[in-house]
Amino acid sequence: MTSSTAVEYGPTGKTTAMSYTPTTLVVGKRTLPWLYNDADLLSRIPGLIDSTSYEADGQTKTITYINGVTTSFSYSPTRALAGPGDDGEGHDGADG
């Protein structure tokens, strides 16, 4: 089985829509393109993401999806993405 991805770009070269086959999955379309903020960072994907907020340095702070779920991100002092239970310095809080 082969698969393919089609990507549409807007006038500024930013992604505005993607589709995948053989599964029919379309994320964005010409009439409802992905939206970017004044800093040229992704802000919304109609039908998927309601809003995205960013830290001052451009790192993703939160993503709020259309179902109301919000994902929050935290970063170490060196700006590495810190996961759950991770202090951002490579320590998971476990002994040893």
Side-chain angles (χ1 to χ4, degrees):
M1 178 183 294
T2 59
S3 62
S4 66
T5 303
V7 181
E8 292 182 28
Y9 300 95
T12 63
K14 290 290 191 179
T15 301
T16 58
M18 294 179 80
S19 62
Y20 306 92
T21 56
T23 303
T24 304
L25 175 63
V26 176
V27 182
K29 53 187 174 182
R30 272 194 190 124
T31 56
L32 292 170
W34 298 12
L35 304 171
Y36 295 85
N37 63 21
D38 291 339
D40 216 19
L41 301 171
L42 184 66
S43 62
R44 293 186 67 228
I45 298 177
L48 182 63
I49 295 175
D50 271 342
S51 66
T52 306
S53 66
Y54 295 92
E55 301 280 349
D57 65 356
Q59 296 276 29
T60 306
K61 185 174 182 179
T62 62
I63 299 173
T64 302
Y65 299 90
I66 62 168
N67 64 359
V69 171
T70 297
T71 301
S72 299
F73 299 86
S74 61
Y75 301 90
S76 72
T78 59
R79 306 310 287 157
L81 184 61
D86 184 346
D87 65 5
E89 298 298 324
H91 307 109
D92 63 8
D95 292 336

